[in-house]
Amino acid sequence: MFDATTILAYKGKNKAVIGGDGQVTFGNSVLKGNATKIRTLHHGKILAGFAGSTADAFNLFDMFEEFLENKKGDLLKSVVAFSKAWRKDKVLRRLEAMMIVLNREHIFILTGNGDVVEPEDGEVAVILPFLLLEL
């Protein structure tokens, strides 16, 4: 078990939203209360959130962005290829980290164990700060 942040996302009809708590903690201490743990990717068409260490987040976001570029923004193909690479990497697969990535059509939870989970109904939350995509 590991301590993680709160990243919540919702995918509805023609809309997608993601939010995070913004806290950086070290043990029981809050070091920063306004961190950005969510990001837009692939020309603002993909939303992503990360739970884990900051350095890992930057590395995995950059790595996932490369897969999105190589797959021309196809989220489904990108998450499958990314998860394979994350799982095969001896160092990265040991990270205690999770990602949520979504667009208007799909929402996925990704882990270093190779998990690619697409919830049937999405996860609902009202949280700030948030990023919103609309048609």
Side-chain angles (χ1 to χ4, degrees):
M1 214 49 200
F2 65 95
D3 294 327
T5 191
T6 303
I7 301 293
L8 303 167
Y10 171 75
K11 179 196 68 66
K13 186 176 182 182
N14 301 323
K15 294 182 183 181
V17 65
I18 192 167
D21 66 1
Q23 284 190 341
V24 175
T25 58
F26 186 76
N28 293 331
S29 300
V30 176
L31 300 178
K32 183 173 179 166
N34 62 348
T36 303
K37 298 177 185 180
I38 54 178
R39 194 188 255 197
T40 59
L41 303 173
H42 195 69
H43 315 293
K45 296 180 181 178
I46 307 291
L47 302 176
F50 183 85
S53 79
T54 305
D56 297 338
F58 290 126
N59 187 28
L60 290 172
F61 277 144
D62 290 345
M63 185 176 160
F64 185 65
E65 182 95 65
E66 288 178 30
F67 281 94
L68 283 169
E69 292 300 320
N70 291 336
K71 303 292 183 187
K72 297 180 175 49
D74 185 316
L75 185 58
L76 179 58
K77 290 180 181 178
S78 297
V79 297
V80 170
F82 172 74
S83 292
K84 287 179 184 178
W86 189 358
R87 175 71 178 144
K88 288 179 182 178
D89 189 291
K90 291 180 182 182
V91 174
L92 293 179
R93 73 174 171 223
R94 301 182 89 169
L95 298 179
E96 294 178 339
M98 296 178 78
M99 290 177 66
I100 296 176
V101 295
L102 68 152
N103 62 10
R104 293 181 193 111
E105 293 82 34
H106 299 284
I107 182 171
F108 296 101
I109 301 166
L110 311 173
T111 73
N113 293 330
D115 300 317
V116 178
V117 179
E118 184 172 21
E120 290 180 16
D121 296 326
E123 298 174 2
V124 181
V126 177
I127 189 167
L128 293 175
F130 65 90
L131 300 171
L132 176 66
L133 294 177
E134 287 188 332
L135 282 179

